[in-house]
């Protein structure tokens, strides 16, 4: 079986929504009953996104199989409602490590090892391997970066070769560009698009489709001009204008005939009736847009200067809000600014503390977790927000003044949160946290049980955990641990039964939430926040 490939490249500048175009095309093909998946190429030198600061690069998305991936992988999962394995996030470091390892083993039999063909062959091998092993009808591959970047050249070269080898009937290039409007009259400028397509053609790639980001729908005259200068027929120039929600992008591309265009280019015939797929998708998209009142949530975290650093949490709140028919408005509050002014949190319906690492701002999180408990404000603590809720309880309820996490104070006498034992011998920081999906068993008669039933599988990303020595004293004072994993080695959920809703989870529920299929703890949290 020959998998068809769609390669998505980007021009002009970053942040144009290449990931959304990629996900939307994949979604449309999935709605057309094709078996699809997506791949993200990240030309940077990091092996994976795990060591990157979320404020600079956006959230680190964790896959079921423990990959620490680019946040676009999260978009693919949310659009397609399907798990994406970590092999679908390819970086320069992965490619070069494989090539260099092979060279050291003597596998190139004396050859001079070069970018072409050895590096490009490895890139193609990985892409083909995904297509074949997953028996995909179509694989959509997004190449990160902007055309003209030095880093992405070997990848674009590999994609060019793949088209040459597999033929135009099996490989399509989609180039995403920008048509800015500078004045109030709204003239759409095409020069940036012209230049970026020229750059692409210079390296041997002629795009088949051009997807143009713009604020208002692309005028016919703009399409004509772009068509002429980019050597793409006018039908193949698509307007990607601003819409209220990214989940509406598949519809606007569909309305311009993109599915027919792709099917024709691939020589696929006989579109089946997919109206049932569309009905389900449309009802999900419109539920996300419903606005019958607001729930006000304070999200108190460390990486609040970039909305993308907690992108999955933001989405998960929206999915859960849609389920209960409410919009969620989120105020991001920098935990470093929480001090004498903590009363400002009182006006919120709920407080959420997401994941985080390191000392900066940790004190504000501990105070926030304590305040939510004292003021009986619904609280959901995720990972760091779970660990520091236990620390706050140890400090302010159990009377251990120096209670802390060993991550924040290695010398504390009361390390309520301590390093995972198997972490003690680890020296490499990359890829070495406790990662990915683990099964969690839940105790009866708890909020956790009401939320999930007797067990649930969720994704993890942590190096520290609750120190079990402190369970008796924490439980005696009214904080219970209602779920565990790895036998009963690790504590996974905490709650305070006397409180309206006080839940902390060691795992990351946000990575399992999808439009139309909200994650249970977010629904429970919002339900409590509205009652
Ligand atoms: N810093 C904490 C740990 O390593 C929490 C991690 C997180 O919030 N993802 O365990």
């Amino acid at each position: 079986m020959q998998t068809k490939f769609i390669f998505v490249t980007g021009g002009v500048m970053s942040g144009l929504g290449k990931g959304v175009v990629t996900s939307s095309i994949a979604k449309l093909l999935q709605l057309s009953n094709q078996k699809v998946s997506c791949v993200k190429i990240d030309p940077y030198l990091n092996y994976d996104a795990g060591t990157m600061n979320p404020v600079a690069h956006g959230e680190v998305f964790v896959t079921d199989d423990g990959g620490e991936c680019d946040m676009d992988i999260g978009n693919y999962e949310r659009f397609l409602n399907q798990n994406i394995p970590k092999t679908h996030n390819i970086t320069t470091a992965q490619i070069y490590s494989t090539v260099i390892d092979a060279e050291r083993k003597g596998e190139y039999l004396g050859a001079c090892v070069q970018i072409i063909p050895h590096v490009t062959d490895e890139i193609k091998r990985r892409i083909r391997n995904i297509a074949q092993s997953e028996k995909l009808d179509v694989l959509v591959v997004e190449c990160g970066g902007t055309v003209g970047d030095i880093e992405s050249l070997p990848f674009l070269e590999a994609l060019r070769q793949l088209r040459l080898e597999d033929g135009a009937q099996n490989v399509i290039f989609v180039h995403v560009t920008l048509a800015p409007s500078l004045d109030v009259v709204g003239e759409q400028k095409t020069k940036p698009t012209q230049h970026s397509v020229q750059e692409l053609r210079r390296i041997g790639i002629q795009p088949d489709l051009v997807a143009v980001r713009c604020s208002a729908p692309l005028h016919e005259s703009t399409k004509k001009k772009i068509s002429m200068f980019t050597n793409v027929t006018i039908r193949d120039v698509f307007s990607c204008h601003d819409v209220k929600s990214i989940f509406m992008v598949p519809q606007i591309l569909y309305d311009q005939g993109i599915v027919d265009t792709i099917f024709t280019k691939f020589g696929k015939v006989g579109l089946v009736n997919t109206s049932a797929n569309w009905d389900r998708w449309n009802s999900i998209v419109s539920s996300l847009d419903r606005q019958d009142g607001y729930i006000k949530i304070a999200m108190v975290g460390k990486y609040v200067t970039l909305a993308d650093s907690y992108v999955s949490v933001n989405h998960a709140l929206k999915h859960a809000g849609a389920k209960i028919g409410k919009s969620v408005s989120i105020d991001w509050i920098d935990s470093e600014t929480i001090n004498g002014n903590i009363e400002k949190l009182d006006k919120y319906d709920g407080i959420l503390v997401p994941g985080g690492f390191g000392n900066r701002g940790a004190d504000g999180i501990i105070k926030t977790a304590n305040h939510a408990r004292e003021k009986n404000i619904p609280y959901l603590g995720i990972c760091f927000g779970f660990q520091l809720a236990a620390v706050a309880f140890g400090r302010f309820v159990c009377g251990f003044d120096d209670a802390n996490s060993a991550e924040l104070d290695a010398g504390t006498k009361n390390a309520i949160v301590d390093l995972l034992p198997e972490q003690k011998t680890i020296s490499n920081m990359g890829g070495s946290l406790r990662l990915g999906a683990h099964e969690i068993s839940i105790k009866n008669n708890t909020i956790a049980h009401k939320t999930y039933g007797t067990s649930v599988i969720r994704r993890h990303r942590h190096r520290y955990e609750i120190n079990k020595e402190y369970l008796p004293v924490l439980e005696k004072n009214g904080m219970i641990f209602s779920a565990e994993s790895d036998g009963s080695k690790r504590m996974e959920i905490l709650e305070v039964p006397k409180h309206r809703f006080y839940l902390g989870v060691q795992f990351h529920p946000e990575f399992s939430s999808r439009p139309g299929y909200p994650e249970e703890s977010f629904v429970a949290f919002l339900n409590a926040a509205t009652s």
Side-chain angles (χ1 to χ4, degrees):
M1 189 187 100
Q2 163 81 50
T3 300
K4 310 280 186 188
F5 294 102
I6 299 181
F7 297 142
V8 182
T9 57
V12 184
M13 62 185 206
S14 62
L16 285 186
K18 207 165 6 117
V20 173
V21 172
T22 304
S23 312
S24 298
I25 290 174
K27 183 71 204 178
L28 287 169
L29 294 168
Q30 186 195 51
L31 289 171
S32 309
N33 289 339
Q34 300 294 299
K35 185 160 190 239
V36 299
S37 193
C38 296
V39 161
K40 174 76 191 291
I41 291 174
D42 279 306
Y44 47 64
L45 282 173
N46 302 59
Y47 195 87
D48 57 34
T51 52
M52 269 190 276
N53 183 340
V55 172
H57 197 78
E59 153 190 292
V60 177
F61 186 83
V62 180
T63 56
D64 245 27
D65 60 355
E68 295 176 284
C69 296
D70 183 86
M71 60 176 203
D72 277 316
I73 301 288
N75 259 333
Y76 307 156
E77 288 206 350
R78 284 186 285 270
F79 270 84
L80 298 177
N81 186 26
Q82 134 189 335
N83 285 351
I84 305 279
K86 64 180 171 191
T87 49
H88 289 224
N89 193 184
I90 301 174
T91 66
T92 295
Q94 293 166 20
I95 302 290
Y96 275 79
S97 325
T98 308
V99 171
I100 292 167
D101 279 354
E103 186 274 332
R104 290 290 78 186
K105 285 187 194 139
E107 286 173 14
Y108 294 115
L109 305 173
C112 169
V113 182
Q114 295 182 297
I115 292 184
I116 305 172
H118 301 100
V119 166
T120 48
D121 279 354
E122 175 58 18
I123 296 168
K124 289 186 290 181
R125 189 191 66 76
R126 286 190 182 226
I127 293 172
R128 288 213 167 95
N129 194 35
I130 290 168
Q132 278 153 17
S133 63
E134 296 174 27
K135 299 190 172 54
L136 299 171
D137 295 318
V138 187
L139 179 60
V140 189
V141 179
E142 173 185 355
C143 186
T146 307
V147 166
D149 294 348
I150 291 177
E151 285 178 344
S152 57
L153 274 174
F155 289 101
L156 294 171
E157 167 60 18
L159 302 182
R160 185 196 66 77
Q161 293 173 15
L162 214 149
R163 153 100 159 209
L164 184 71
E165 289 161 14
D166 286 22
Q169 72 284 10
N170 295 312
V171 180
I172 290 178
F173 277 94
V174 179
H175 190 54
V176 183
T177 69
L178 171 76
S181 303
L182 292 182
D183 51 29
V184 275
V185 194
E187 188 200 347
Q188 295 168 326
K189 297 293 196 183
T190 65
K191 195 68 84 189
T193 300
Q194 294 177 33
H195 280 171
S196 91
V197 174
Q198 269 169 25
E199 191 64 35
L200 198 58
R201 289 168 71 186
R202 209 192 316 278
I203 55 177
I205 296 170
Q206 164 66 50
D208 300 284
L209 270 56
V210 181
V212 188
R213 279 303 313 276
C214 39
S215 42
L218 219 53
H219 305 147
E220 215 40 39
S221 56
T222 319
K223 280 194 176 180
K224 222 182 205 163
K225 203 161 170 191
I226 291 176
S227 157
M228 192 167 64
F229 280 100
T230 60
N231 197 29
V232 166
T233 62
I234 195 162
R235 279 191 323 277
D236 296 340
V237 178
F238 290 87
S239 171
C240 290
H241 41 275
D242 292 352
V243 273
K244 260 208 292 204
S245 135
I246 55 172
F247 298 107
M248 293 172 175
V249 177
Q251 182 75 54
I252 62 167
L253 291 174
Y254 181 82
D255 292 344
Q256 296 173 72
I258 202 167
V259 175
D260 280 344
T261 303
I262 292 172
F263 270 65
T264 309
K265 288 191 191 298
F266 282 155
K268 283 192 185 254
V269 280
L271 266 185
V272 279
N273 182 350
T274 56
S275 55
N277 298 350
W278 272 100
D279 289 349
R280 174 81 193 121
W281 174 245
N282 284 336
S283 81
I284 290 172
V285 173
S286 55
S287 76
L288 290 173
D289 198 30
R290 204 159 40 200
Q291 302 204 339
D292 313 333
Y294 277 96
I295 309 177
K296 279 175 65 119
I297 300 299
M299 204 150 113
V300 183
K302 298 189 51 155
Y303 317 118
V304 292
T305 47
L306 182 77
D308 275 349
S309 4
Y310 297 119
V311 62
S312 292
V313 180
N314 301 342
H315 277 288
L317 283 169
K318 291 224 161 69
H319 306 158
K323 164 100 177 181
I324 62 175
K326 293 245 165 35
S327 300
V328 182
S329 82
I330 308 167
D331 280 350
W332 294 276
I333 297 168
D334 185 343
S335 57
E336 257 188 316
T337 66
I338 300 273
N339 227 323
N341 55 357
I342 200 152
E343 276 73 33
K344 70 178 176 189
L345 297 177
D346 296 352
K347 63 172 192 274
Y348 292 96
D349 302 316
I351 297 173
L352 190 155
V353 174
F357 293 83
N359 245 311
R360 182 185 61 78
D363 198 50
I365 291 178
I366 295 172
K367 289 191 176 117
T368 300
N370 188 53
H371 190 76
R373 190 188 48 74
E374 279 183 352
K375 291 290 175 80
N376 209 13
I377 305 170
Y379 177 84
L380 178 61
I382 296 174
C383 206
F384 209 39
F386 156 86
Q387 296 172 354
L388 297 191
V391 168
F393 200 80
R395 251 187 224 181
F396 301 110
V397 181
C398 307
F400 300 112
D401 293 344
D402 62 345
N404 217 330
S405 162
E407 179 182 6
L408 309 174
D409 175 5
T412 180
K413 288 207 192 64
N414 288 298
I416 289 192
V417 175
D418 207 352
L419 198 60
L420 289 159
E422 57 273 39
Q423 292 279 332
K424 294 195 169 139
T425 51
I426 282 175
S427 56
N428 246 351
M429 295 309 270
S432 60
L433 290 93
R434 179 174 182 245
L435 291 166
H438 294 275
E439 187 168 1
I440 295 156
S441 343
I442 297 167
K443 296 183 183 145
N444 277 331
N445 303 319
T446 57
I447 310 179
H449 192 267
K450 257 189 244 141
T451 309
Y452 291 117
T454 51
S455 81
V456 68
I457 295 172
R458 286 289 176 264
R459 299 178 189 179
H460 295 71
R461 182 172 187 246
H462 64 118
R463 223 181 273 286
Y464 294 81
E465 64 174 345
I466 300 291
N467 178 348
K468 281 183 74 180
E469 278 175 33
Y470 288 88
L471 290 194
V473 61
L474 292 166
E475 300 214 310
K476 196 178 93 207
N477 284 283
M479 171 172 275
I480 65 151
F481 289 82
S482 51
E484 48 196 31
S485 62
D486 292 353
S488 54
K489 249 169 52 198
R490 320 203 184 289
M491 296 303 111
E492 291 279 357
I493 304 185
L494 65 73
E495 34 192 283
V496 177
K498 278 216 311 244
H499 192 278
R500 269 171 73 199
F501 182 89
Y502 198 89
L503 195 79
V505 294
Q506 177 60 79
F507 50 90
H508 286 272
E510 68 273 27
F511 299 137
S512 303
S513 185
R514 312 262 169 89
Y517 307 91
E519 205 280 341
E520 294 85 341
S521 65
F522 284 91
V523 179
F525 170 56
L526 290 188
N527 266 327
T530 42
S531 57

